Amino acid sequence: MMDDAIIISNLNDFIFCPVSIYFHNLYGNRNTISYQTAAQINGSSAHEAIDNGTYSTRKNIITSIDVYCETYNLVGKIDIYDSNRKMLIERKRQIRKIYDGYIFQLFAQYFAMKEMGYEVKRLQFYSMTDNKTYPVKLPQEDLDMFEKFEDVIQRIKTFKMEDFQQQNIEKCKNCIYESACDRGLK
């Protein structure tokens, strides 16, 4: 089933705009400087220590491992797992607001880690620029958010691009693909 697996980061992208996933894949192999905004480039560079394995040398810190969740057919990477604290941590360059899509990404990582045999008792976001942490309830502790998580997965599985028209002009205004998109509000 991996052929049609949902990439964990696409959970957040889908909520922002399903068409952005198409453009992200279309531009995927191009140099990101040609289409990303400064905020996105800074966000990517914030993950460099995680991605290249230089974040920590402590044995209890696991970073940037590939994960797969069979239950929901999700694939991706985690940022940090602290085995001493049994905590899964998602780093963001700067958190101004915790969006549902952020939480869904963390839930997806949680379910994948659990299936892979890791014990996860806590979830957390870390905002790098202001050094703040934000605890997140486990899926079984936040049934409303867990239901929304499952709903987004189902919507992704049944999404038809030809039927989609963006209804939120603010999302179009903040989209790096807006100039190439025919689905937005012009």
Side-chain angles (χ1 to χ4, degrees):
M1 273 324 259
M2 285 277 282
D3 290 343
D4 61 345
I6 298 168
I7 299 169
I8 289 173
S9 61
N10 284 353
L11 296 171
N12 188 45
D13 294 342
F14 185 84
I15 292 170
F16 176 74
C17 177
V19 178
S20 71
I21 297 168
Y22 165 79
F23 283 108
H24 183 72
N25 290 327
L26 181 67
Y27 290 114
N29 292 330
R30 294 181 62 196
N31 185 337
T32 56
I33 198 79
S34 66
Y35 64 91
Q36 283 190 338
T37 64
Q40 289 170 313
I41 292 168
N42 289 337
S44 295
S45 67
H47 272 146
E48 282 179 10
I50 296 291
D51 295 338
N52 66 24
T54 59
Y55 173 76
S56 176
T57 58
R58 293 186 353 222
K59 298 282 187 220
N60 64 300
I61 301 296
I62 299 169
T63 62
S64 192
I65 60 170
D66 293 315
V67 294
Y68 175 68
C69 173
E70 185 175 8
T71 301
Y72 296 106
N73 198 22
L74 301 164
V75 64
K77 284 187 177 281
I78 65 155
D79 280 353
I80 301 167
Y81 174 71
D82 181 334
S83 63
N84 288 350
R85 297 189 294 167
K86 310 288 187 243
M87 185 183 326
L88 189 57
I89 304 163
E90 174 71 16
R91 291 165 42 108
K92 302 285 185 191
R93 183 174 182 279
Q94 183 175 27
I95 298 175
R96 291 188 184 109
K97 176 182 176 183
I98 296 179
Y99 295 97
D100 288 357
Y102 290 2
I103 293 172
F104 299 160
Q105 287 178 283
L106 203 48
F107 280 9
Q109 295 169 17
Y110 165 82
F111 286 117
M113 293 291 283
K114 297 284 283 182
E115 284 185 13
M116 293 170 61
Y118 291 90
E119 185 178 8
V120 181
K121 292 185 176 181
R122 295 169 53 200
L123 304 175
Q124 178 178 283
F125 288 109
Y126 174 69
S127 178
M128 296 168 58
T129 57
D130 54 7
N131 195 32
K132 290 185 179 179
T133 60
Y134 300 89
V136 175
K137 293 179 182 178
L138 296 171
Q140 61 270 25
E141 298 169 341
D142 190 345
L143 297 179
D144 180 53
M145 194 58 73
F146 176 57
E147 187 176 300
K148 289 179 184 179
F149 165 78
E150 288 188 321
D151 179 63
V152 165
I153 292 170
Q154 188 57 38
R155 289 184 9 233
I156 290 172
K157 289 178 180 179
T158 60
F159 178 73
K160 291 181 176 40
M161 179 112 86
E162 62 272 10
D163 296 338
F164 180 77
Q165 184 68 41
Q166 179 58 263
Q167 300 300 312
N168 184 338
I169 189 78
E170 292 306 311
K171 288 185 177 185
C172 293
K173 287 179 183 176
N174 291 301
C175 182
I176 62 173
Y177 306 115
E178 192 273 333
S179 64
C181 183
D182 68 346
R183 303 287 166 169
L185 296 170
K186 303 287 183 192

